[in-house]
């Protein structure tokens, strides 16, 4: 069935620069301007969120771009209120593009009398009238099953693979991918297979929550350029300690590839003083001025991938082609050209 309507993009306040970049990329792909829908997303004096859409969206295919990052509660409410405004304005379909899905770390009951907040959030998203979710590197893939609507979970590994092959060209024989814990082995193995590198694991044992008591490296990292791979870096304590342990075990260099740079509290200061040569994150969370000023933090763009994923969703075509770094290379032409 041919599309008779154009895709329309609307943004909350969580990461407007990413939304604007996605709109520009969509304009390039379509050969016609795709702008952000004119709207205001504001707060009353008591903190209540108010949304007003200034354009006609009746019968339109709407995409809300809004990560639920810090402040998580405010940004989540913005997403829900925008969705309600669009639903009550008779939008034909509403897709939530959530580059960083907050509350994803609360995906199971870790002990008695605790919530499964990721499930609660998914219920709220569905009840708000959202019909599809597009996200990147969910902390736990089973969260897709919490939704009763389609969820497309994209992966940062293809972008990271392009970045590694570009920046380590000529030194790929020395590269080793490292998982910072046993639970992240599948994610690290994915990148290792894409770039043809061996895999190592840092086994950590916690003394108490938030504190790492002991770390052991499984695998020979001597004289290797180690790439730590994970989905979230928050306070960066574990990450920096893992880098130190790798260096103590003879690693030549330590770099980290982390999808979501939460980077709260002392994270930036820790990273700037750490033995890591580089921390590479994506722009799913809008970087603070401190993050942008840190010399050993580098940010890679997700806008080309999200723009293509949105267009594929609008066209009714598969987004699975974006799982392959070879397919992504033309989209990132000029960034990782050989």
């Amino acid at each position: 069935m041919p599309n008779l309507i154009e895709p329309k993009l609307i943004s909350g306040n969580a990461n407007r620069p990413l939304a604007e970049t996605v709109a520009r990329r969509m304009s390039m792909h379509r050969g016609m301007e795709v702008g952000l829908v004119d709207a205001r997303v504001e707060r009353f004096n008591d903190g209540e969120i108010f949304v007003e859409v200034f354009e006609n969206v009746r019968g339109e295919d709407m995409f809300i771009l809004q990560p639920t990052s810090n402040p998580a509660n405010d940004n989540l409410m913005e997403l829900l209120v925008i969705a309600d405004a669009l639903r009550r304005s008779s939008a034909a379909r509403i897709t939530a593009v959530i580059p960083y899905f907050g509350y994803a770390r609360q995906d199971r009951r870790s002990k008695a009398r605790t919530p499964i907040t990721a499930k609660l959030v998914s219920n709220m998203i569905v009840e708000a009238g959202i019909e599809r979710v597009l996200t990147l590197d969910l902390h736990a893939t089973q969260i897709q099953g919490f939704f009763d609507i389609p969820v497309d979970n994209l992966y940062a590994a293809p972008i990271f693979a392009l970045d590694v092959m570009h920046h380590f060209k000529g030194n790929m024989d020395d590269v080793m991918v490292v998982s910072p814990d046993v639970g992240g082995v599948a994610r690290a193995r994915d990148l290792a297979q894409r770039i043809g590198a061996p895999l190592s694991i840092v086994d950590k044992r916690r003394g108490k929550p938030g504190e790492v008591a002991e770390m052991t490296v499984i695998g020979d990292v001597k004289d290797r350029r180690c790439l730590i791979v994970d989905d979230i870096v928050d306070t960066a304590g574990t990450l920096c300690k893992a880098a130190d342990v790798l260096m103590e075990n003879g690693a030549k260099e330590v770099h980290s590839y982390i999808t979501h740079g939460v980077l709260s509290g002392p994270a930036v200061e820790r990273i700037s003083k750490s033995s890591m040569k580089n921390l590479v994150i994506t722009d799913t969370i809008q970087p603070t001025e401190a993050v942008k000023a840190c010399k050993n933090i580098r940010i890679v763009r997700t806008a080309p991938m999200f723009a293509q994923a949105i267009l594929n969703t609008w066209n009714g075509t598969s987004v699975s082609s974006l799982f392959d770094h070879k397919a992504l290379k033309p989209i990132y032409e000029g960034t990782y050209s050989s």
Side-chain angles (χ1 to χ4, degrees), residues 9-25:
L9 193 63
I10 188 170
S11 174
N13 295 315
N15 196 343
R16 194 170 179 87
L18 176 60
E20 291 170 348
T21 308
V22 168
R24 286 197 298 270
R25 293 292 307 199

Side-chain angles (χ1 to χ4, degrees), residues 164 168 171-180 188-189 191-193 195-202 217-229 246 249-257:
V164 170
F168 293 88
N171 296 305
M172 289 299 296
D173 291 342
D174 297 338
V175 169
M176 174 174 275
V177 175
V178 179
S179 173
R189 185 188 295 121
L191 180 61
Q193 290 174 340
I195 64 176
L199 179 66
S200 179
I201 303 168
V202 175
V217 178
I218 303 173
D220 185 9
V221 298
K222 186 175 175 58
D223 296 326
R224 293 281 193 171
R225 290 181 167 88
C226 293
L227 311 181
I228 302 174
V229 177
L246 290 168
N249 279 264
K252 186 183 297 183
E253 296 174 355
V254 177
H255 305 256
S256 295
Y257 280 80

Side-chain angles (χ1 to χ4, degrees), residues 140-303:
T141 54
Q142 67 264 23
I143 292 173
Q144 293 176 85
F146 292 175
F147 289 87
D148 294 324
I149 56 176
V151 177
D152 290 314
N153 183 34
L154 301 175
Y155 300 98
I159 306 174
F160 287 161
L162 291 173
D163 190 272
V164 170
M165 288 186 286
H166 176 73
H167 285 91
F168 293 88
K169 188 176 181 180
N171 296 305
M172 289 299 296
D173 291 342
D174 297 338
V175 169
M176 174 174 275
V177 175
V178 179
S179 173
D181 52 45
V182 175
V185 169
R187 183 179 293 104
R189 185 188 295 121
D190 182 19
L191 180 61
Q193 290 174 340
R194 291 174 188 274
I195 64 176
L199 179 66
S200 179
I201 303 168
V202 175
D203 179 40
K204 62 184 179 185
R205 300 179 184 180
R206 293 187 183 273
K208 59 182 179 180
E211 181 179 302
V212 179
E214 181 184 354
M215 281 187 168
T216 305
V217 178
I218 303 173
D220 185 9
V221 298
K222 186 175 175 58
D223 296 326
R224 293 281 193 171
R225 290 181 167 88
C226 293
L227 311 181
I228 302 174
V229 177
D230 210 349
D231 65 320
I232 297 173
V233 53
D234 194 344
T235 59
T238 302
L239 181 66
C240 292
K241 186 165 184 179
D244 291 339
V245 170
L246 290 168
M247 293 298 291
E248 290 167 7
N249 279 264
K252 186 183 297 183
E253 296 174 355
V254 177
H255 305 256
S256 295
Y257 280 80
I258 316 291
T259 307
H260 307 296
V262 176
L263 299 175
S264 55
V268 175
E269 183 180 359
R270 282 175 175 169
I271 291 163
S272 65
K273 296 177 179 178
S274 74
S275 56
M276 270 188 301
K277 191 168 183 179
N278 281 300
L279 166 63
V280 181
I281 58 174
T282 72
D283 58 356
T284 55
I285 297 172
Q286 185 173 347
T288 63
E289 291 303 317
V291 170
K292 290 188 281 189
C294 187
K295 293 181 180 178
N296 54 344
I297 296 179
R298 184 160 54 83
I299 302 169
V300 297
R301 298 176 301 147
T302 57

Side-chain angles (χ1 to χ4, degrees), residues 88 108 124 151 301 336:
R88 294 176 188 277
R108 63 190 184 280
M124 293 167 68
V151 177
R301 298 176 301 147
Y336 301 121

Side-chain angles (χ1 to χ4, degrees), residues 48-65:
E48 284 186 14
I49 292 165
F50 175 74
V51 172
E52 183 177 7
V53 181
F54 296 119
E55 295 182 26
N56 180 21
V57 297
R58 182 179 296 273
E60 300 288 0
D61 195 357
M62 300 299 304
F63 294 84
I64 310 170
L65 200 149

Side-chain angles (χ1 to χ4, degrees), residues 2-75:
N3 286 291
L4 302 177
I5 54 176
E6 297 295 322
K8 286 197 171 182
L9 193 63
I10 188 170
S11 174
N13 295 315
N15 196 343
R16 194 170 179 87
L18 176 60
E20 291 170 348
T21 308
V22 168
R24 286 197 298 270
R25 293 292 307 199
M26 290 173 64
S27 299
M28 289 172 57
H29 290 314
R30 302 223 58 230
M32 59 187 296
E33 184 176 359
V34 177
L36 296 179
V37 167
D38 188 17
R40 62 171 175 148
V41 182
E42 298 178 348
R43 284 168 177 73
F44 292 139
N45 291 334
D46 63 353
E48 284 186 14
I49 292 165
F50 175 74
V51 172
E52 183 177 7
V53 181
F54 296 119
E55 295 182 26
N56 180 21
V57 297
R58 182 179 296 273
E60 300 288 0
D61 195 357
M62 300 299 304
F63 294 84
I64 310 170
L65 200 149
Q66 176 81 344
T68 51
S69 49
N70 185 35
N73 298 333
D74 287 356
N75 289 331

